Short mmCIF file of all heavy atoms in Angstrom, two decimals:
data_model
loop_
_atom_site.label_atom_id
_atom_site.label_comp_id
_atom_site.label_asym_id
_atom_site.label_seq_id
_atom_site.Cartn_x
_atom_site.Cartn_y
_atom_site.Cartn_z
N VAL A 1 57.83 71.53 172.00
CA VAL A 1 59.06 71.58 172.77
C VAL A 1 59.18 70.39 173.72
O VAL A 1 58.19 69.85 174.18
CB VAL A 1 59.11 72.88 173.64
CG1 VAL A 1 59.16 74.14 172.77
CG2 VAL A 1 57.86 73.01 174.57
N ALA A 2 60.41 70.00 174.02
CA ALA A 2 60.66 68.92 174.92
C ALA A 2 60.48 69.31 176.37
O ALA A 2 60.04 68.51 177.21
CB ALA A 2 62.07 68.33 174.71
N ARG A 3 60.83 70.56 176.65
CA ARG A 3 60.73 71.12 178.03
C ARG A 3 59.79 72.29 178.04
O ARG A 3 60.08 73.33 177.42
CB ARG A 3 62.14 71.53 178.52
CG ARG A 3 63.11 70.41 178.60
CD ARG A 3 64.40 70.84 179.24
NE ARG A 3 64.94 72.04 178.52
CZ ARG A 3 65.83 72.87 179.01
NH1 ARG A 3 66.30 72.71 180.27
NH2 ARG A 3 66.30 73.91 178.31
N PRO A 4 58.66 72.16 178.70
CA PRO A 4 57.69 73.32 178.73
C PRO A 4 58.17 74.40 179.74
O PRO A 4 59.15 74.23 180.43
CB PRO A 4 56.39 72.66 179.19
CG PRO A 4 56.86 71.48 180.05
CD PRO A 4 58.11 70.99 179.40
N LYS A 5 57.44 75.49 179.79
CA LYS A 5 57.64 76.52 180.75
C LYS A 5 57.64 75.90 182.11
O LYS A 5 56.86 75.01 182.40
CB LYS A 5 56.56 77.60 180.65
CG LYS A 5 56.40 78.28 179.34
CD LYS A 5 55.15 79.16 179.32
CE LYS A 5 54.86 79.69 177.91
NZ LYS A 5 53.64 80.58 177.89
N PRO A 6 58.56 76.32 183.04
CA PRO A 6 59.43 77.48 182.99
C PRO A 6 60.76 77.39 182.22
O PRO A 6 61.53 78.26 182.30
CB PRO A 6 59.71 77.75 184.47
CG PRO A 6 59.73 76.35 185.10
CD PRO A 6 58.63 75.62 184.32
N ALA A 7 60.96 76.21 181.53
CA ALA A 7 62.15 76.17 180.67
C ALA A 7 62.01 77.16 179.54
O ALA A 7 60.92 77.46 179.10
CB ALA A 7 62.27 74.73 180.11
N PRO A 8 63.13 77.67 178.97
CA PRO A 8 63.05 78.74 177.97
C PRO A 8 62.81 78.22 176.57
O PRO A 8 62.75 79.01 175.65
CB PRO A 8 64.46 79.36 178.08
CG PRO A 8 65.34 78.21 178.50
CD PRO A 8 64.52 77.40 179.44
N ASP A 9 62.67 76.93 176.36
CA ASP A 9 62.66 76.33 175.04
C ASP A 9 61.61 76.93 174.15
O ASP A 9 61.83 77.21 172.99
CB ASP A 9 62.46 74.80 175.11
CG ASP A 9 63.46 74.08 175.94
OD1 ASP A 9 64.03 74.70 176.90
OD2 ASP A 9 63.79 72.93 175.65
N GLY A 10 60.40 77.15 174.68
CA GLY A 10 59.31 77.64 173.89
C GLY A 10 59.55 79.06 173.36
O GLY A 10 59.33 79.36 172.18
N TYR A 11 60.07 79.91 174.25
CA TYR A 11 60.37 81.30 173.80
C TYR A 11 61.59 81.37 172.89
O TYR A 11 61.65 82.17 172.00
CB TYR A 11 60.47 82.23 175.04
CG TYR A 11 59.13 82.60 175.56
CD1 TYR A 11 58.68 82.17 176.76
CD2 TYR A 11 58.26 83.32 174.71
CE1 TYR A 11 57.37 82.51 177.22
CE2 TYR A 11 56.98 83.67 175.14
CZ TYR A 11 56.54 83.23 176.41
OH TYR A 11 55.30 83.53 176.81
N ARG A 12 62.52 80.49 173.10
CA ARG A 12 63.66 80.46 172.15
C ARG A 12 63.18 80.06 170.80
O ARG A 12 63.57 80.62 169.74
CB ARG A 12 64.73 79.48 172.67
CG ARG A 12 65.55 80.06 173.81
CD ARG A 12 66.55 79.00 174.36
NE ARG A 12 67.36 79.58 175.41
CZ ARG A 12 67.99 78.88 176.32
NH1 ARG A 12 68.00 77.56 176.26
NH2 ARG A 12 68.75 79.48 177.25
N ALA A 13 62.28 79.05 170.74
CA ALA A 13 61.71 78.59 169.44
C ALA A 13 60.86 79.74 168.80
O ALA A 13 60.94 79.91 167.63
CB ALA A 13 60.90 77.37 169.66
N GLY A 14 60.13 80.42 169.67
CA GLY A 14 59.28 81.54 169.14
C GLY A 14 60.13 82.57 168.51
O GLY A 14 59.82 83.08 167.41
N CYS A 15 61.22 82.97 169.17
CA CYS A 15 62.08 84.04 168.64
C CYS A 15 62.74 83.56 167.29
O CYS A 15 62.81 84.33 166.35
CB CYS A 15 63.18 84.39 169.61
SG CYS A 15 62.64 85.18 171.14
N ALA A 16 63.14 82.28 167.29
CA ALA A 16 63.79 81.75 166.05
C ALA A 16 62.76 81.76 164.91
O ALA A 16 63.11 82.14 163.78
CB ALA A 16 64.26 80.35 166.31
N ARG A 17 61.51 81.43 165.20
CA ARG A 17 60.49 81.39 164.11
C ARG A 17 60.12 82.79 163.65
O ARG A 17 59.74 83.01 162.53
CB ARG A 17 59.25 80.62 164.57
CG ARG A 17 59.56 79.16 164.84
CD ARG A 17 58.28 78.40 165.18
NE ARG A 17 58.57 77.08 165.61
CZ ARG A 17 57.67 76.14 165.97
NH1 ARG A 17 56.39 76.45 165.91
NH2 ARG A 17 58.03 74.94 166.34
N LEU A 18 60.17 83.77 164.56
CA LEU A 18 60.00 85.16 164.19
C LEU A 18 61.18 85.65 163.36
O LEU A 18 60.98 86.61 162.59
CB LEU A 18 59.84 86.08 165.42
CG LEU A 18 58.57 85.95 166.28
CD1 LEU A 18 58.71 86.96 167.44
CD2 LEU A 18 57.31 86.14 165.50
N GLY A 19 62.31 85.03 163.49
CA GLY A 19 63.50 85.53 162.85
C GLY A 19 64.10 86.76 163.54
O GLY A 19 64.76 87.59 162.90
N VAL A 20 63.89 86.90 164.85
CA VAL A 20 64.32 88.06 165.62
C VAL A 20 65.13 87.53 166.84
O VAL A 20 64.71 86.59 167.52
CB VAL A 20 63.11 88.83 166.12
CG1 VAL A 20 63.56 90.05 166.97
CG2 VAL A 20 62.28 89.34 164.97
N PRO A 21 66.32 88.15 167.12
CA PRO A 21 67.08 87.73 168.29
C PRO A 21 66.25 87.96 169.54
O PRO A 21 65.49 88.94 169.64
CB PRO A 21 68.27 88.68 168.26
CG PRO A 21 68.37 89.22 166.87
CD PRO A 21 66.95 89.24 166.37
N PRO A 22 66.37 87.07 170.54
CA PRO A 22 65.60 87.23 171.78
C PRO A 22 65.77 88.63 172.42
O PRO A 22 64.84 89.15 173.02
CB PRO A 22 66.17 86.12 172.69
CG PRO A 22 66.61 85.08 171.76
CD PRO A 22 67.18 85.82 170.55
N SER A 23 66.96 89.20 172.31
CA SER A 23 67.21 90.53 172.95
C SER A 23 66.35 91.61 172.31
O SER A 23 66.26 92.71 172.93
CB SER A 23 68.68 90.89 172.81
OG SER A 23 69.13 90.95 171.46
N ARG A 24 65.76 91.38 171.11
CA ARG A 24 64.97 92.39 170.50
C ARG A 24 63.45 92.01 170.50
O ARG A 24 62.69 92.56 169.73
CB ARG A 24 65.39 92.60 169.04
CG ARG A 24 66.87 92.94 168.87
CD ARG A 24 67.25 94.18 169.66
NE ARG A 24 66.51 95.36 169.29
CZ ARG A 24 66.87 96.13 168.28
NH1 ARG A 24 67.94 95.86 167.51
NH2 ARG A 24 66.16 97.25 168.02
N VAL A 25 63.13 91.04 171.33
CA VAL A 25 61.72 90.56 171.41
C VAL A 25 61.13 90.98 172.75
O VAL A 25 61.80 90.84 173.83
CB VAL A 25 61.62 89.05 171.25
CG1 VAL A 25 60.21 88.48 171.55
CG2 VAL A 25 62.03 88.67 169.79
N VAL A 26 59.90 91.40 172.73
CA VAL A 26 59.15 91.70 174.00
C VAL A 26 58.12 90.60 174.19
O VAL A 26 57.37 90.27 173.24
CB VAL A 26 58.48 93.09 173.93
CG1 VAL A 26 57.57 93.27 175.19
CG2 VAL A 26 59.57 94.12 173.96
N VAL A 27 58.03 90.06 175.36
CA VAL A 27 57.10 88.97 175.70
C VAL A 27 56.12 89.45 176.71
O VAL A 27 56.45 90.08 177.70
CB VAL A 27 57.84 87.74 176.28
CG1 VAL A 27 56.89 86.71 176.81
CG2 VAL A 27 58.76 87.11 175.19
N PHE A 28 54.86 89.15 176.50
CA PHE A 28 53.75 89.46 177.45
C PHE A 28 53.30 88.14 178.11
O PHE A 28 52.88 87.23 177.48
CB PHE A 28 52.56 90.08 176.74
CG PHE A 28 52.84 91.45 176.23
CD1 PHE A 28 53.36 91.66 174.95
CD2 PHE A 28 52.59 92.53 177.03
CE1 PHE A 28 53.62 92.92 174.44
CE2 PHE A 28 52.87 93.88 176.55
CZ PHE A 28 53.39 94.01 175.28
N GLU A 29 53.46 88.15 179.45
CA GLU A 29 53.19 86.95 180.21
C GLU A 29 52.47 87.24 181.52
O GLU A 29 52.68 88.28 182.13
CB GLU A 29 54.51 86.21 180.63
CG GLU A 29 54.91 85.07 179.71
CD GLU A 29 54.12 83.80 179.94
OE1 GLU A 29 53.25 83.79 180.83
OE2 GLU A 29 54.34 82.84 179.17
N ASP A 30 51.56 86.33 181.92
CA ASP A 30 50.84 86.55 183.20
C ASP A 30 51.24 85.54 184.27
O ASP A 30 50.77 85.67 185.41
CB ASP A 30 49.33 86.47 182.96
CG ASP A 30 48.86 85.01 182.68
OD1 ASP A 30 49.55 84.30 181.93
OD2 ASP A 30 47.84 84.62 183.26
N ALA A 31 52.07 84.53 183.94
CA ALA A 31 52.31 83.49 184.96
C ALA A 31 53.83 83.50 185.30
O ALA A 31 54.66 83.75 184.42
CB ALA A 31 51.96 82.13 184.34
N PRO A 32 54.13 83.23 186.57
CA PRO A 32 55.53 83.21 186.94
C PRO A 32 56.41 82.21 186.12
O PRO A 32 57.52 82.54 185.76
CB PRO A 32 55.49 82.74 188.43
CG PRO A 32 54.12 83.25 188.89
CD PRO A 32 53.19 83.08 187.73
N ALA A 33 55.80 81.07 185.78
CA ALA A 33 56.56 80.08 184.99
C ALA A 33 56.89 80.68 183.61
O ALA A 33 58.01 80.45 183.08
CB ALA A 33 55.78 78.79 184.86
N GLY A 34 55.94 81.40 183.03
CA GLY A 34 56.19 81.96 181.74
C GLY A 34 57.14 83.09 181.74
O GLY A 34 58.02 83.30 180.81
N ILE A 35 57.08 83.94 182.81
CA ILE A 35 58.04 85.09 182.95
C ILE A 35 59.42 84.53 183.07
O ILE A 35 60.35 85.04 182.44
CB ILE A 35 57.62 85.93 184.17
CG1 ILE A 35 56.31 86.69 183.83
CG2 ILE A 35 58.74 86.84 184.56
CD1 ILE A 35 55.76 87.41 185.04
N GLU A 36 59.60 83.49 183.87
CA GLU A 36 60.92 82.90 184.02
C GLU A 36 61.42 82.35 182.67
O GLU A 36 62.59 82.57 182.32
CB GLU A 36 60.85 81.70 185.04
CG GLU A 36 62.18 81.02 185.26
CD GLU A 36 62.10 79.90 186.29
OE1 GLU A 36 61.14 79.84 187.03
OE2 GLU A 36 63.04 79.07 186.28
N ALA A 37 60.54 81.73 181.95
CA ALA A 37 60.90 81.15 180.63
C ALA A 37 61.39 82.25 179.70
O ALA A 37 62.39 82.15 178.98
CB ALA A 37 59.75 80.40 180.05
N ALA A 38 60.62 83.32 179.65
CA ALA A 38 60.96 84.45 178.73
C ALA A 38 62.26 85.06 179.09
O ALA A 38 63.13 85.38 178.21
CB ALA A 38 59.82 85.50 178.73
N ARG A 39 62.47 85.32 180.37
CA ARG A 39 63.69 85.99 180.82
C ARG A 39 64.92 85.10 180.60
O ARG A 39 65.98 85.58 180.22
CB ARG A 39 63.56 86.41 182.28
CG ARG A 39 62.44 87.41 182.51
CD ARG A 39 62.33 87.82 183.95
NE ARG A 39 63.35 88.78 184.36
CZ ARG A 39 63.42 89.32 185.57
NH1 ARG A 39 62.59 88.95 186.54
NH2 ARG A 39 64.37 90.16 185.87
N THR A 40 64.78 83.79 180.87
CA THR A 40 65.86 82.87 180.66
C THR A 40 66.20 82.77 179.20
O THR A 40 67.39 82.61 178.81
CB THR A 40 65.54 81.48 181.19
OG1 THR A 40 65.20 81.63 182.59
CG2 THR A 40 66.71 80.52 181.08
N ALA A 41 65.21 82.95 178.32
CA ALA A 41 65.46 82.90 176.82
C ALA A 41 66.18 84.17 176.39
O ALA A 41 66.72 84.17 175.27
CB ALA A 41 64.12 82.78 176.12
N GLY A 42 66.15 85.21 177.23
CA GLY A 42 66.89 86.45 176.85
C GLY A 42 65.99 87.53 176.35
O GLY A 42 66.48 88.56 175.87
N ALA A 43 64.69 87.31 176.46
CA ALA A 43 63.72 88.38 175.97
C ALA A 43 63.35 89.30 177.08
O ALA A 43 63.52 88.97 178.29
CB ALA A 43 62.46 87.68 175.40
N ALA A 44 62.79 90.49 176.73
CA ALA A 44 62.27 91.41 177.68
C ALA A 44 60.83 90.98 178.07
O ALA A 44 60.04 90.76 177.14
CB ALA A 44 62.24 92.82 177.15
N ALA A 45 60.52 90.80 179.30
CA ALA A 45 59.21 90.36 179.71
C ALA A 45 58.39 91.46 180.32
O ALA A 45 58.91 92.30 181.07
CB ALA A 45 59.33 89.24 180.79
N VAL A 46 57.09 91.51 179.93
CA VAL A 46 56.15 92.43 180.53
C VAL A 46 55.11 91.56 181.32
O VAL A 46 54.55 90.61 180.74
CB VAL A 46 55.43 93.25 179.44
CG1 VAL A 46 54.34 94.09 180.10
CG2 VAL A 46 56.41 94.14 178.74
N ALA A 47 54.93 91.88 182.55
CA ALA A 47 53.95 91.12 183.38
C ALA A 47 52.60 91.66 183.12
O ALA A 47 52.41 92.84 183.06
CB ALA A 47 54.31 91.23 184.85
N VAL A 48 51.62 90.77 182.97
CA VAL A 48 50.26 91.10 182.65
C VAL A 48 49.38 90.72 183.85
O VAL A 48 49.45 89.57 184.25
CB VAL A 48 49.74 90.37 181.39
CG1 VAL A 48 48.27 90.81 181.15
CG2 VAL A 48 50.62 90.78 180.19
#
């Protein structure tokens, strides 16, 4: 990715590679930067 977390690029790419819309993906994250990235990408985030 060109822009790392907290930018959403990584999670958007992850959803695309899964073949699943971000709104139907659950993300597990332990860092504020990652949580921000997941939520901005449109996924549901679970804090770890």
